[in-house]
């Protein structure tokens, strides 16, 4: 009991909130009420008596049916509120409620059941409809038991029976929606039994059965549909005064005939024919007459029966449209002779009708469909003559005729019967007046021009195109026709202008309602076709203009890439025989195409995974083109670099297998080399950008090289050495502090070659680089490696020594520090040991250079009053005399005399120095 009281309080509280204004959370409150009422229904009935609860139920009900809540709650929520209110009312009523309470129960239960039916919830509806029937039976029993035959009592009983019939009809509807045909039939049978007392409900019940029949027919339940339609017709006959009328009865019978026709025509053909004949007796209607012909045709009736049917149709003054539909039906059922005969009758019957033109056009259409072209053409000419004699075709019919003629022309054109196609187009043209402005006329003229072109009648084609341009100059198709004509006349300027016009029009939105919207890539497709036409006529420049426009206009990346392939091939076909200046310009054009290809491949790679293979194929094709083109740019390092970089970038869209990685490495190496070459050719002040680019390529190449080395043995590959050489040159010329670290990396290489160290030494001093310390370090190590060889290369050793001496003791110095002298003395000593080991191989001129350099150093020291050092260096120079070979005798006398003089002067200088001290 406590739980019951708690639930009642909760419902009352929720109801109070729901009735408040303004209401913001109605859906939440309704859902809670709906949940609470389901709990309340489980309590025993005898404890539910509560007058306050009844008042709550009435308040809820009134709130739900008030128009003011129409926008607050939807039908489903309204059904829930009614559900709650009705359950509350039944919960709080005593076992024998007064008559007023019972009437309230009937009202609320029937309305709630109806609402649930409208919400497509027949299961919930059934409970309330059953409650309504029970309450109606209770009320009817009470009224009957009074025994008073007064007017008021009889009226009340009639109202109750009327309500019961409605509720039973709801139950029938609910049963059908749940596929319970038997229950629905039982409910309707009870309703039929009540019609003797409620004759005015005849129309309602008949219409309900008709609706049941329609629903069943739509679900292809033909047996059930025929039952309900028969019931509808039979009920309508019970009381003609209150039935829906003869027109509705005929409608029911026509649908019944259609059901039999669709159910099993051969089995039920008699029933179908009887039903439609009966319908026509009740109410003659064009649709009934048409249906009768349809039934006869489906049943395979003889021609005379069908002729009788169509004659009846024509004699009933039905609309022309029905007659024409009948003609089409006869043709569809292979009654061609009947169809044409009937059509002739129709044309004669409606000869004075303004709608006759539609019959004439249909006649033409049927003649052409059946291959009777001569008769069709004769009929067209008759229609044309009538059109200009005052029997004008309606705009709609004229449009149909144009489409019909164009369709025939199109089929002839596709079959390459161009003269025949032109004849059909000319028939269409005959219905246009001179000077008429119409986009469709422009299209017609374009089609005629195409026929003339195929027939090699260029003057007539040009005239047709001129007319098309007059009617619709802002059509890409008109401009395309202009383009074709220009190409055939070899007018490159006009063709180019047409291409530009097509591209411009493709960018303009379609503003006129009468113009057809173009397909998304219509302009691009036309431009591709234009390129093809130009190439077929050997007009390469025009073709390229068209293909470039495709690249600018198309949103289809695959289509753009296809156009770029053509452009690349066309450019490459001209590059070999071009002059130097023209060759460079052509390469620049090629570069622009390849850059666009890179963008499009990149965009293609972002689309669905299904395009991965296509993306790879495209990237592979363009990367090879870029590579081969780069190899032809020896005299243009800028273009070579750009092409190698493009080739590398395109290769990034290919699977990164060993082959592609090797390719990428080579591309980047070549790009770095080209950047360095470009830098060497530039003034020192302008090298920064080129050298920085080279470093970027080198760093990218290092990354690729690291990955590549993981794929297998690459011991014989010199990439490490090349990259270090390139990096050293770039950093040295950029005065980068990391240059020494690069040298250390070079020294860490296995089996380093002396040539690499000699190159490093040269790069360290090549302007604007100036790293003498690193240069000497490289040369010393190179000299050491030379001497370790089993057979040292004496000439290269001598070059190393010469370079070391020149770096340490440059020409033109006026003062020499002792450490420098010691360093250079060491180089001389090492040179003497080399000469001693290979006296015959050491170059004689190098010996002479060493002799001269040592002697001059002695002289310099002498001038600086460094006499002991001067004597020492002059003596060093004299020690090289014996290694001079053929020149020894010539220099021996000269050097000996000079050396004696030097020694005498040194002695005097020493003595003077002692005296001065």
């Amino acid at each position: 009991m406590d739980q019951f009281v708690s639930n009642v309080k909760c419902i009352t509280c929720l109801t109070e909130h729901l009735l408040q204004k303004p209401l913001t959370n109605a859906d939440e409150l309704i859902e809670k009420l709906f949940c609470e009422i389901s709990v309340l229904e489980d309590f025993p009935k005898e404890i539910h008596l509560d007058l306050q609860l009844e008042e709550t139920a009435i308040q809820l009900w009134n709130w739900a049916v008030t128009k003011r809540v129409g926008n607050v709650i939807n039908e489903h929520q309204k059904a829930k509120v009614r559900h709650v209110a009705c359950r509350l009312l039944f919960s709080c009523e005593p076992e024998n409620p007064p008559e007023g309470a019972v009437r309230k129960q009937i009202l609320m239960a029937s309305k709630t059941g109806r609402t649930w039916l409208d919400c497509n919830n027949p299961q919930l509806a059934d409970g309330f409809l059953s409650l309504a029937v029970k309450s109606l039976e209770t009320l009817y029993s009470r009224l009957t038991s009074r025994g008073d035959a007064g007017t008021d009592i009889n009226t009340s009983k009639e109202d109750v029976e009327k309500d019961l019939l409605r509720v039973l009809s709801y139950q029938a509807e609910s049963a059908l929606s749940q596929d319970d045909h038997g229950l629905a039939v039982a409910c309707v049978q009870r309703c039929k039994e009540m019609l003797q007392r409620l004759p005015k409900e005849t129309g309602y019940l008949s219409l309900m059965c008709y609706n049941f029949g329609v629903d069943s027919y739509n679900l292809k339940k033909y047996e059930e549909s025929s039952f309900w339609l028969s019931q509808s017709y039979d009920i309508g006959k019970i009381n003609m005064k209150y039935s829906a009328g003869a027109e509705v009865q005929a409608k029911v019978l026509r649908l019944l005939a259609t059901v039999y026709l669709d159910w099993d025509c051969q089995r039920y053909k008699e029933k179908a024919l009887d039903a439609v004949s009966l319908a026509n007796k009740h109410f003659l209607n064009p649709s009934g007459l048409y249906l009768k012909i349809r039934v006869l045709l489906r049943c395979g009736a003889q021609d005379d029966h069908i002729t009788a049917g169509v004659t009846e149709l024509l004699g009933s003054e039905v609309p022309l449209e029905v007659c024409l539909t009948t003609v089409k039906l006869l043709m569809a059922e292979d009654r061609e002779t009947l169809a044409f005969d009937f059509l002739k009758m129709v044309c004669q019957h409606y000869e004075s009708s303004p709608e006759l033109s539609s019959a004439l056009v249909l006649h033409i259409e049927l003649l052409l469909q059946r291959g009777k072209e001569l008769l069709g053409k004769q009929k067209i000419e008759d229609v044309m003559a009538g059109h200009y004699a005052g029997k004008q075709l309606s705009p709609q019919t004229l449009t149909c005729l144009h489409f019909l003629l164009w369709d025939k022309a199109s089929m002839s054109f596709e079959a390459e019967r161009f003269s025949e196609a032109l004849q059909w187009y000319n028939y269409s043209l005959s219905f246009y007046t001179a000077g008429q402005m119409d986009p469709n006329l422009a299209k017609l003229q374009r089609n005629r021009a195409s026929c003339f072109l195929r027939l090699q009648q260029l003057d007539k084609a040009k005239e047709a195109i001129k007319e098309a341009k007059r009617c619709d100059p802002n059509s890409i198709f008109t401009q395309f026709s202009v383009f074709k004509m220009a190409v055939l006349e070899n007018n490159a300027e006009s063709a180019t202008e047409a291409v530009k016009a097509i591209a411009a029009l493709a960018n303009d939105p379609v503003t006129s309602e009468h113009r057809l919207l173009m397909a998304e890539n219509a302009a691009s497709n036309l431009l591709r076709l234009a390129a093809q036409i130009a190439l077929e006529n050997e007009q390469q420049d025009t073709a390229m203009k068209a293909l470039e426009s495709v690249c600018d206009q198309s949103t289809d990346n695959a289509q753009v890439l296809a156009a770029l392939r053509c452009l690349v091939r066309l450019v490459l076909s001209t590059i070999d025989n071009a002059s130097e200046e023209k060759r460079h310009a052509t390469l620049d054009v090629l570069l622009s195409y390849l850059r666009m290809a890179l963008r499009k491949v990149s965009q293609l790679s972002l689309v669905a995974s299904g395009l991965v293979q296509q993306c790879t194929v495209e990237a592979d094709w363009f990367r090879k083109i870029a590579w081969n083109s780069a190899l032809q740019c020896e005299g243009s390092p800028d273009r070579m670099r750009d092409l190698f970089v493009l080739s590398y970038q395109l290769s990034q869209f290919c699977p990164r297998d060993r082959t592609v990685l090797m390719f990428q490495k080579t591309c980047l190496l070549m790009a770095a080399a080209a950047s360095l070459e470009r830098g060497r050719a530039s003034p020192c002040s302008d090298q920064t950008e080129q050298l920085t680019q080279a470093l970027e390529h080198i760093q990218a190449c290092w990354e690729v090289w690291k990955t590549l080395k993981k794929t297998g043995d690459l011991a014989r590959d010199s990439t490490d050495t090349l990259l270090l050489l390139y990096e050293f040159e770039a950093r040295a010329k950029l005065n980068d502090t990391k240059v020494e670290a690069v040298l250390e990396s070079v020294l860490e290489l296995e089996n380093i070659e002396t040539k690499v160290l000699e190159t490093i030494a040269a790069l360290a001093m090549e302007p604007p680089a100036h790293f003498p310390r690193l240069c000497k370090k490289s040369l010393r190590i190179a000299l050491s490696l030379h001497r370790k060889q089993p057979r040292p290369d004496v000439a290269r050793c001598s070059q190393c020594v010469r370079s070391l001496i020149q770096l340490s003791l440059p020409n033109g110095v006026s003062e020499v520090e002792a450490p420098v002298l010691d360093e250079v003395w060491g180089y001389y000593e090492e040179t003497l040991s080399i000469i001693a080991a290979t006296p015959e191989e050491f170059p004689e001129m190098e010996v002479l250079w060493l002799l001269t350099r040592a002697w001059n150093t002695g002289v310099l020291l002498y001038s600086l009053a460094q006499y002991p050092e001067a004597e020492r260096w002059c003596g060093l120079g004299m020690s090289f005399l014996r290694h001079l070979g053929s020149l020894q005798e010539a220099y021996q006398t000269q050097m000996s005399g000079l050396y004696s003089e030097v020694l005498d002067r040194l002695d005097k200088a020493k003595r003077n120095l002692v005296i001065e001290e």
Side-chain angles (χ1 to χ4, degrees), residues 498-565:
V499 166
K500 291 179 180 177
I502 292 172
L505 288 169
N507 289 325
D508 290 339
V510 178
T511 55
S512 302
E513 294 182 2
H514 67 276
R515 293 188 60 193
L516 296 175
L517 289 172
M518 296 183 299
E520 184 179 358
N521 271 332
S524 300
N525 292 333
L526 278 183
L527 289 167
R528 290 171 65 198
L529 186 55
Q532 181 181 337
I533 292 171
L535 288 174
E536 289 172 354
N537 287 272
E538 299 181 354
Q539 296 181 28
Q540 183 170 312
D541 290 343
T542 302
M544 291 181 67
K545 291 285 192 302
L547 289 169
E548 286 172 352
S549 293
V550 171
C551 296
D552 292 337
Q553 296 300 321
S554 180
T555 57
D556 184 340
N557 291 325
Q559 190 180 73
V560 173
L561 287 167
L564 286 169
R565 279 193 182 217

Side-chain angles (χ1 to χ4, degrees), residues 72 110 255 272 790:
V72 177
S110 61
L255 181 55

